């Protein structure tokens, strides 16, 4: 003991020798050690592989080990002792590596297997951590990452308290998030996300948690902020308190999750309706509320929206189902939709089904589990059994499309095409996301028209007539003739717009050219507009009413004329076709609302000299904007000074008005002047040659004072309603099953969409039949209420009766059925998108069943109210959402991933309107 005490170094060597003797049985020989560490697959010669771990060993220790093993004497004094990397650290508290360390000078790198061998043979200095580093893959090279990325982690609500953490370039952003959650003791049920401060000082979202820090271009020293979602579903960074217009007294509001309105941002009721329907699909909402979407976000899908649409929808769902909002403002979601779908930019009204289609497709691509889509060739049945072809088609579909949307909403059609020439049959199976079913169409329509009789004592009559949808104008005249007793050939139909004739219809014109909003006037006449030389029929003249505006130019003369009242079609006998004759006929036709001047008012006095009268007459015959001469003068003026007179209606010019003058020398008071005009009611002389050759239009020009004294505007606008106005075209209710039957009915392809027959080698108008093969968990049925054609657009307001429960599809599914599981073919209603109004304007709302309470509610933008089931069915029903009964039962079972309560919908016991605005 004294010797040991006198020579502590010798004692240490002796003790180490004793330890080596004990371990010699387990430690391989020095030659074997050298081979294991330097050579072979587990030694330093091992090639670098991305993701593998390598370890740093201090260079001097390793050189000492080399001397030791190469000496061949296990008891030599060159024994290196335990591994000591102290020279590689700046301090022994944080164990941070020194900057500027160089491989081969300061350290050597060993693969994991070699490191473990050395540690087992020699041990490591007590308290020292191993220096483990990963192999990362850089462009065209792999290297061991010696220096890690050092990040500062903070919370959004405590930016002053920062924690330092180190990460590999190959670590995922998700590891940074998990580390931050652990360091800041975040509860498992709380949602968090990361932001990073860039070089410009602004913050960027770290959306994709699956990519590496290298791919995210994150560098040492950057600040990473962890944000925790508020209990009401909003994110603090979004400052949604201001955007949602939540008043202070509403901050503590807590209601039923899912009973939350959506503010109308301006014609966005279509979006609100679609969102409320989708929000009340139980399994989809649970998928987002439970954050299962986070692991399936697809940020690299070229067909998707980089996960942004799915995240925006998830935020909306979490807010609506937090129970802390009466209503929310979906402006972030609206902007995101407009960003990826330009058709929804701005604030125009759109179709809820169109948005729903875009949303389902966008969510699918954002959540598609297939990261790289392979090419799949579509195969025809070619005589194979349906079961085999259908299974192949569905598997091919899933090879490219696999998401919660496919799991929930996708089904399978069977499509059968038959060539009309050779009888070739083509069978394919195609996926679908919703059914667009037609409504049985009535082949008649109701038109509202105004009938204008020739008898001036009778007011115009408003009529409602039933006509064939594909009929002609002649059919309208025949139908109106039954109400009026006037022969159809004594009628002219006109579209009146803005006090002028927008169109004068011919009898053979199709009725499809008349829109429901058009103002249609039917005039009783005793002739035709078309000029036929030699004919003795009366001449029908289109007449406009105009008033001179009180504005004056520098010459103190009137220059403005505006149209007013309803235009006329006046029948004029040929023997009375002169300016004076036309004036008298017009006074007769307008006698119901135009007062004739008294004899005192008519006489202008006899004190005018003859010369003055002659001068006045000469002035009247001069062409100008208020011409009172013959029609020939107007013709000459229109033709121009050098082109001669253009002959319009030659029998009028040559036989009727050659010597006529108006007014006569003995002047009487005229209430208005007459002038030929173009079809627009203006005196523009730059008319086209085609218009010059047609029957002229006549304008009655009124001075403001004369119009005020003699023209009764109230009486002029008066009309009576015929008894038929109260009649309605009765429409029998339609059963939803009828619409589905129509959907599966054989149809012939249109000329615009022929099918290429592989047998005939040419395009054919084949017959096509769709059948249902496989139905989805959630079946969306779109009622095709809006029809479009070349000439018309209309909305069908037919009442479609649909069941709330037990919608049975067993008779429509042609796939061999499992008779022991009838619930696979039965559906219960969970939501309805409604459309009120017509084609140009309208309003969308929603009926939806709450998945937790089973109670129905009516969503009208930011207003929500409970309703009875008997209020759901209406003519406004547009898109129906049905849930398969086996899914509802599965979700109601304890321990299921869905909601823990039954989703069977019921009515509230005492429904009262509750405005949550």
């Amino acid at each position: 003991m004294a010797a040991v005490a006198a020579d502590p170094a010798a004692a240490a060597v002796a003790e180490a020798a004793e330890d080596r003797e004990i371990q010699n049985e387990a430690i391989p020989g020095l030659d074997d050690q050298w081979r294991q560490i330097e050579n072979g697959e587990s030694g330093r010669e091992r090639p670098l592989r991305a993701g593998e771990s390598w370890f740093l060993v201090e260079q001097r220790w390793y050189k000492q080990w080399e001397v030791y093993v190469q000496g061949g004497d296990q008891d030599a004094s060159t024994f290196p002792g335990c591994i000591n990397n102290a020279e590689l650290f700046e301090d022994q508290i944080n164990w941070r590596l020194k900057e500027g360390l160089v491989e081969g000078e300061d350290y050597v790198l060993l693969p994991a297997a070699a490191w473990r061998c050395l540690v087992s043979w020699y041990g490591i200095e007590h308290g020292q951590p191993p220096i483990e580093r990963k192999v990362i893959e850089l462009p065209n090279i792999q290297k061991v990452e010696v220096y890690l990325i050092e990040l500062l982690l903070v919370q959004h609500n405590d930016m002053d308290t920062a924690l330092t953490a180190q990460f590999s370039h190959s670590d995922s952003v998700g590891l940074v998030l998990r580390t931050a959650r652990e360091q800041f003791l975040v509860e498992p049920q709380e949602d968090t996300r990361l932001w990073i401060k860039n070089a410009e000082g602004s913050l960027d979202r770290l959306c994709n948690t699956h990519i590496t820090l290298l791919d995210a271009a994150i560098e040492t020293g950057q600040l990473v902020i962890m944000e925790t979602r508020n209990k009401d579903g909003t994110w603090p960074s979004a400052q949604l308190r201001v955007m949602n217009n939540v008043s202070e007294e509403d901050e503590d509001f807590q209601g039923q999750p899912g009973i939350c309105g959506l503010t109308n941002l301006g014609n966005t009721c279509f979006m609100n309706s679609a969102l409320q329907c989708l929000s009340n699909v139980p399994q989809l909402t649970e998928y987002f509320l439970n954050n299962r979407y986070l692991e399936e976000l697809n940020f690299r899908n070229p067909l998707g929206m980089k996960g942004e649409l799915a995240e925006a929808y998830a935020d909306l769902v979490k807010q609506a189902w937090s129970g802390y909002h009466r209503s929310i403002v979906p402006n972030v979601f609206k902007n995101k939709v407009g960003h990826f779908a330009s058709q929804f930019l701005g604030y125009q009204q759109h179709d809820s089904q169109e948005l729903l289609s875009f949303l389902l497709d966008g969510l699918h691509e954002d959540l598609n589990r297939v990261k790289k889509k392979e090419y799949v060739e579509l195969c025809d049945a070619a005589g194979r059994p349906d079961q085999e072809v259908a299974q192949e088609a569905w598997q091919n579909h899933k090879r490219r499309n696999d998401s919660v949307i496919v799991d929930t909403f996708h089904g399978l059609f069977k499509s059968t095409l038959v060539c009309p020439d050779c009888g070739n049959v083509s069978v394919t199976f195609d996926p679908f996301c919703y059914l667009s079913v037609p409504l049985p169409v009535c082949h008649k329509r109701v038109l509202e028209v105004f009938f204008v009789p020739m008898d001036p004592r009778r007011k115009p009559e408003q009529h409602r007539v039933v006509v064939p949808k594909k009929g002609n104008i002649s059919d309208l005249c025949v139908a109106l003739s039954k109400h009026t007793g006037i022969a159809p050939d004594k009628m002219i139909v006109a579209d009146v717009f803005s006090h002028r004739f927008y169109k004068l219809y011919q009898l053979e014109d199709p009725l499809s050219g008349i829109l429901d909003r058009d103002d249609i006037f039917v005039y009783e006449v005793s002739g035709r507009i078309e000029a036929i030389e030699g004919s003795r029929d009366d001449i029908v003249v289109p007449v406009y009413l105009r008033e001179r505006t009180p504005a004056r130019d520098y010459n103190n003369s009137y220059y403005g004329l505006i149209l007013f009242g309803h235009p006329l079609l006046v029948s004029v006998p040929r023997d009375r076709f002169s300016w004076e004759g036309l004036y008298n006929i017009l006074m007769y036709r307008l006698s119901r609302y135009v007062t004739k001047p008294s004899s005192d008012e008519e006489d202008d006095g006899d004190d005018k000299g003859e010369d003055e009268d002659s001068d006045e007459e000469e002035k009247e015959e001069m062409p100008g904007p208020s011409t009172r001469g013959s029609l020939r003068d107007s013709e000459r003026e229109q033709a121009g000074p050098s082109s001669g007179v253009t002959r319009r209606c030659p029998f009028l010019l040559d036989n009727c008005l050659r010597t006529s003058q108006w007014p006569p020398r003995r002047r009487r008071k005229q209430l208005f002047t007459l002038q030929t005009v173009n079809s627009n009611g203006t005196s523009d002389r730059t008319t086209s040659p085609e218009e010059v050759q047609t029957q002229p239009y006549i304008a009655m020009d009124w001075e403001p004072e004369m119009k005020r004294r003699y023209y009764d505007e109230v009486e002029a606008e008066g009309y009576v309603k015929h008894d038929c106005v109260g009649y309605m075209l009765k429409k029998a209710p339609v059963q939803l099953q009828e619409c589905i039957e129509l959907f599966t009915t054989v149809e012939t392809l249109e000329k615009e969409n022929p099918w290429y027959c592989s047998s005939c080698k040419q395009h054919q108008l084949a017959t096509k039949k769709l059948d249902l093969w496989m139905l989805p968990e959630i079946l969306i049925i779109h009622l095709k209420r809006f029809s479009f054609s070349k000439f018309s657009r209309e909305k069908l307001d037919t009442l479609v009766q649909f069941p709330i429960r037990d919608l049975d599809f067993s008779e429509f599914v042609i796939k061999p059925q499992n008779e022991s599981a009838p619930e696979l073919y039965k559906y219960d209603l969970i939501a309805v998108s409604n459309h009120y109004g017509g084609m140009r304007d309208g309003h969308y709302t929603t009926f939806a069943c709450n998945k937790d309470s089973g109670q129905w509610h009516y969503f009208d933008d930011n207003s929500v109210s409970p309703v009875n089931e008997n209020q759901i069915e209406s003519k406004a029903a547009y898109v129906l959402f049905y849930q398969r009964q086996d899914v509802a039962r599965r979700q109601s079972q304890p321990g299921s991933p869905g909601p823990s309560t039954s989703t069977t919908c019921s009515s509230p016991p005492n429904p009262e309107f509750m405005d949550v605005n």
Side-chain angles (χ1 to χ4, degrees):
M1 294 292 294
V4 173
D7 190 358
V13 172
E15 184 177 352
E18 293 178 1
D19 291 340
R20 288 199 300 275
E21 289 179 0
I22 297 173
Q23 298 176 5
N24 274 344
E25 296 181 0
I27 298 176
L30 298 180
D31 291 341
D32 289 339
Q33 289 187 35
W34 177 263
R35 284 192 295 270
Q36 291 186 44
I37 301 303
E38 285 291 333
N39 306 318
E41 179 64 21
S42 63
R44 292 180 64 192
E45 294 181 358
R46 176 182 176 83
L48 298 178
R49 295 183 176 92
E52 289 188 347
S53 294
W54 286 62
F55 291 81
L56 275 69
V57 177
E58 199 269 330
Q59 175 79 7
R60 286 192 301 176
W61 185 93
Y62 191 78
K63 288 298 182 184
Q64 183 67 28
W65 174 81
E66 286 183 329
V67 171
Y68 171 65
V69 295
Q70 290 175 355
D73 183 5
Q74 290 187 341
D75 297 326
S77 59
T78 56
F79 181 73
C82 61
I83 301 172
N84 190 345
N85 288 330
E87 292 298 321
L88 301 180
F89 296 108
E90 282 187 355
D91 59 74
Q92 296 188 11
I93 299 176
N94 296 319
W95 303 103
R96 190 191 310 272
L97 282 184
K98 291 179 179 178
E99 295 294 332
L101 297 178
V102 179
E103 183 182 3
E105 296 180 7
D106 302 300
Y107 63 89
V108 295
L109 289 169
L110 297 178
W115 166 259
R116 287 193 295 269
C117 287
L118 286 180
V119 171
S120 67
W121 299 336
Y122 298 95
I124 187 171
E125 189 72 24
H126 180 70
Q128 269 190 18
I131 309 175
E132 180 182 4
R133 294 295 186 262
K134 293 292 182 69
V135 178
I136 61 173
E137 189 165 4
L138 299 175
N140 303 321
I141 190 174
Q142 292 180 334
K143 63 175 292 186
V144 176
E145 176 189 40
V146 174
Y147 289 98
L148 299 176
I149 298 176
E150 192 171 275
L151 300 177
L152 298 176
L153 306 180
V154 298
Q155 297 186 85
H156 74 276
N157 56 356
D158 185 10
M159 300 287 288
D160 297 329
T161 304
L163 299 178
T164 302
Q166 292 183 334
F167 302 93
S168 167
H169 285 83
S170 61
D171 286 337
S172 68
V173 174
L175 178 61
V176 179
L177 179 59
R178 290 193 296 273
T179 302
R181 289 177 64 95
E182 292 172 1
Q183 293 295 322
F184 295 120
L185 304 176
V186 176
E187 295 294 331
Q189 70 274 13
E190 294 185 284
D191 292 347
T192 54
R193 63 183 184 181
L194 295 180
W195 299 79
I196 190 164
K197 193 172 185 180
N198 58 32
E200 289 76 26
S202 58
L203 298 179
D204 296 327
R205 269 280 316 282
L206 294 175
C207 301
N208 191 350
T209 59
H210 301 289
I211 63 173
T212 65
L213 302 188
L214 179 65
D215 292 335
I218 296 176
E219 301 176 350
T220 291
Q222 285 190 275
L223 180 68
V224 177
I225 304 168
M226 184 184 70
E227 182 182 19
T228 303
R229 192 190 295 270
N230 297 325
K231 63 180 181 179
D232 66 353
T234 62
W235 293 103
S237 60
Q239 298 178 343
L240 289 179
R241 176 174 300 179
V242 176
M243 291 191 292
N244 278 337
N245 300 318
V246 179
S247 58
E248 294 183 1
E249 60 268 20
D250 289 337
E251 288 185 352
D252 297 328
F253 171 80
Q254 188 163 5
Q256 171 72 43
I259 310 304
C260 177
L262 295 172
T263 298
N264 192 323
L265 305 175
N267 285 329
T268 58
C269 58
F270 74 96
M271 181 184 75
N272 294 346
S273 179
L275 287 173
Q276 294 289 12
C277 286
L278 213 54
S279 173
N280 283 278
V281 174
Q283 54 267 55
L284 184 64
T285 293
E286 290 293 330
Y287 170 86
F288 282 100
L289 292 180
N290 295 332
N291 288 338
R292 294 202 296 274
Y293 75 99
L294 292 175
E295 294 301 316
E296 298 183 347
L297 285 170
N298 192 331
F299 297 97
R300 298 182 178 179
N301 186 351
L303 300 178
M305 288 81 176
K306 302 178 181 178
E308 295 181 30
L309 185 67
E311 285 195 319
Y313 180 75
D315 287 346
L316 202 67
V317 168
K318 286 178 178 288
Q319 293 174 47
W321 287 85
S322 69
Y324 289 96
H325 296 289
R326 286 185 170 88
S327 65
I328 56 180
V329 180
N331 50 3
V332 174
F333 181 83
K334 168 70 171 63
N335 294 336
K336 197 67 66 177
V337 169
H339 175 72
F340 290 107
S342 59
Q343 67 268 32
F344 297 114
L345 278 172
Y347 296 93
Q348 298 297 317
Q349 181 67 278
H350 292 280
D351 188 286
S352 67
Q353 190 273 333
E354 290 179 1
L355 177 78
L356 185 66
S357 176
F358 161 78
L359 185 53
L360 288 172
D361 185 64
L363 289 176
H364 158 66
E365 296 296 355
D366 268 4
L367 299 168
N368 199 343
R369 303 174 187 118
V370 179
K371 305 306 178 186
K372 187 176 181 181
K373 294 191 175 185
E374 57 181 303
Y375 173 75
V376 176
E377 186 175 354
L378 298 179
C379 299
D380 194 83
R384 294 180 293 162
D386 284 352
Q387 191 83 21
E388 176 185 338
V389 181
Q391 184 176 0
E392 177 185 78
W394 184 251
Q395 289 175 347
N396 288 341
H397 179 59
K398 292 281 290 208
R399 284 163 62 186
R400 292 175 54 86
N401 305 279
D402 185 15
S403 70
V404 66
I405 302 300
V406 175
D407 298 342
T408 307
F409 297 98
H410 282 205
L412 203 63
F413 284 139
K414 177 186 177 183
S415 175
T416 305
L417 289 160
V418 180
C419 177
D421 287 352
C422 69
N424 178 35
V425 179
S426 171
V427 175
T428 57
F429 287 82
D430 305 298
F432 67 88
C433 191
Y434 52 84
L435 301 181
S436 288
V437 299
L439 274 62
V441 178
C442 177
H443 296 290
K444 295 185 178 295
R445 64 181 292 198
V446 175
L447 284 181
E448 190 173 281
V449 301
F450 287 89
F451 175 69
V452 182
M454 292 180 61
D455 187 346
R457 295 168 298 179
R458 294 173 56 189
K459 293 182 179 181
E461 300 170 355
Q462 184 183 20
H463 290 257
R464 289 173 63 91
V465 291
V466 179
V467 294
K469 278 190 175 181
K470 295 184 179 180
N472 297 328
I473 294 297
S474 58
D475 296 306
L476 169 60
C477 296
V478 170
L480 187 60
S481 175
K482 297 176 182 178
H483 294 182
T484 62
I486 304 300
D489 61 348
K490 299 298 182 183
M491 297 179 184
I492 294 181
V493 181
D495 183 351
V496 175
F497 177 73
S498 189
H499 311 291
R500 58 174 59 90
F501 291 117
Y502 181 78
K503 182 174 183 178
L504 294 172
Y505 288 99
Q506 302 295 321
L507 292 176
E508 63 273 13
D509 287 342
L511 288 173
S512 57
I514 298 179
L515 304 181
D516 290 339
R517 66 176 183 273
D518 292 342
D519 291 326
I520 302 300
F521 284 69
V522 182
Y523 295 85
E524 179 189 359
V525 296
S526 57
R528 306 305 301 173
I529 289 183
E530 298 82 3
I532 302 176
E533 188 169 3
S535 172
R536 296 187 178 184
D537 291 337
D538 290 352
I539 304 163
V540 178
V541 181
V543 178
Y544 292 149
L545 287 82
R546 304 192 302 183
E547 179 183 4
R548 296 186 184 277
T549 61
R552 298 174 182 271
D553 62 11
Y554 66 92
N555 199 27
N556 204 34
S557 61
Y558 294 102
Y559 68 93
L561 289 163
I562 59 173
L563 292 168
F564 71 93
H566 298 304
L568 300 172
L569 289 178
V570 180
S571 301
V572 183
R574 293 176 179 274
D575 57 356
R576 297 184 61 188
F577 200 86
S578 64
W579 283 119
E580 186 170 6
L582 184 58
Y583 177 87
N584 291 331
I585 290 175
L586 289 173
M587 284 294 295
Y588 172 73
R589 283 295 302 271
L590 274 59
S591 59
R592 182 172 55 84
Y593 48 91
V594 172
T595 305
K596 188 175 182 180
S598 63
S599 57
D600 294 338
E601 292 175 314
E602 287 181 345
D603 192 354
D604 285 340
D606 297 328
D607 55 346
K608 293 183 180 180
E610 188 172 329
D611 292 339
E612 187 177 351
D613 289 339
S614 299
D615 292 340
E616 181 67 25
E617 181 178 346
E618 184 178 350
K619 290 179 182 179
E620 291 168 355
E621 292 178 353
M622 293 177 62
S626 59
T627 300
R628 296 171 184 170
S630 67
L631 282 177
R632 181 181 292 275
D633 294 329
S634 298
E635 298 285 353
R636 185 177 295 112
E637 183 179 18
Q638 287 194 358
S642 61
S643 61
V645 176
T646 302
R647 295 176 62 85
R648 291 190 298 174
C649 314
F651 64 90
L652 298 180
L653 299 175
D654 295 340
N655 302 333
C656 302
L657 301 177
R658 176 173 296 175
T659 59
S660 299
Q661 292 183 353
W662 182 81
R665 181 180 299 275
R666 178 64 178 175
R667 182 172 180 176
R668 304 181 68 171
K669 193 178 191 68
Q670 282 77 44
L671 302 187
F672 48 82
T673 60
L674 300 177
Q675 176 174 323
T676 56
V677 293
N678 59 25
S679 60
N680 287 325
T682 64
S683 300
D684 185 5
R685 296 309 184 193
T686 60
T687 52
S688 64
E690 292 81 4
E691 188 173 4
V692 171
Q693 295 294 336
T694 62
Q695 171 72 33
Y697 287 64
I698 302 296
M700 305 165 55
D701 293 341
W702 291 75
E703 299 290 343
E705 178 61 21
M706 300 295 281
K707 179 173 176 283
R708 185 188 66 81
R709 291 173 60 185
Y710 300 106
Y711 187 91
D712 187 340
E713 289 192 83
V714 175
E715 182 64 24
E717 295 293 327
Y719 67 93
V720 295
K721 292 185 177 182
H722 189 269
D723 292 342
C724 64
V725 174
Y727 300 160
M728 296 293 293
L729 185 62
K730 292 184 179 180
K731 296 181 180 179
V734 172
Q735 300 297 319
L736 179 60
Q737 287 83 345
E738 296 179 56
C739 302
I740 300 170
E741 287 176 2
L742 273 178
F743 177 78
T744 57
T745 300
V746 177
E747 62 176 355
T748 302
L749 297 180
E750 298 178 351
K751 294 181 180 179
E752 296 79 11
N753 186 31
W755 168 67
Y756 183 78
C757 176
S758 59
S759 178
C760 296
K761 305 299 182 184
Q762 59 183 345
H763 288 88
Q764 299 282 5
L765 299 182
T767 60
K768 181 178 181 180
K769 188 178 191 306
L770 290 176
D771 289 296
L772 300 176
W773 180 265
M774 184 177 68
L775 298 177
E777 294 183 355
I778 299 295
L779 180 62
I780 302 175
I781 302 178
H782 165 224
L783 303 177
K784 297 173 69 174
R785 291 194 176 278
F786 300 104
S787 65
F788 303 89
S789 67
K790 184 177 180 181
F791 298 103
S792 65
R793 303 168 60 190
E794 67 172 326
K795 179 191 175 185
L796 304 176
D797 60 351
T798 307
L799 174 63
V800 178
Q801 296 178 332
F802 49 88
I804 305 296
R805 296 179 185 83
D806 297 324
L807 174 60
D808 192 349
F809 268 85
S810 58
E811 62 177 300
F812 300 108
V813 176
I814 64 171
K815 178 182 179 180
Q817 300 180 15
N818 184 357
E819 296 182 359
S820 63
E823 67 274 8
L824 293 176
Y825 312 101
K826 289 187 177 182
Y827 286 80
D828 295 333
L829 189 71
I830 59 172
V832 180
S833 175
N834 304 300
H835 179 268
Y836 300 91
M839 293 290 299
R840 289 184 170 271
D841 53 9
H843 184 59
Y844 289 91
T845 65
T846 298
F847 290 113
C849 174
N850 185 273
K851 68 180 182 65
D852 297 330
S853 67
Q855 180 172 300
W856 282 91
H857 287 81
Y858 181 63
F859 296 83
D860 185 357
D861 289 333
N862 60 351
S863 176
V864 186
S865 58
V867 292
N868 284 320
E869 286 185 0
N870 57 14
Q871 297 175 260
I872 297 172
E873 186 179 274
S874 73
K875 293 182 178 180
Y878 182 45
V879 184
L880 310 176
F881 283 67
Y882 278 94
Q883 183 179 41
R884 210 169 61 203
Q885 288 185 350
D886 68 307
V887 177
R889 293 175 183 175
R890 185 170 66 245
Q891 290 174 340
S892 64
Q893 295 174 357
S896 65
S900 58
T901 58
S902 173
T903 57
T904 301
C905 297
S906 61
S907 304
N910 294 308
E912 295 179 359
F913 184 81
M914 178 184 65
D915 190 351
V916 296
N917 185 11

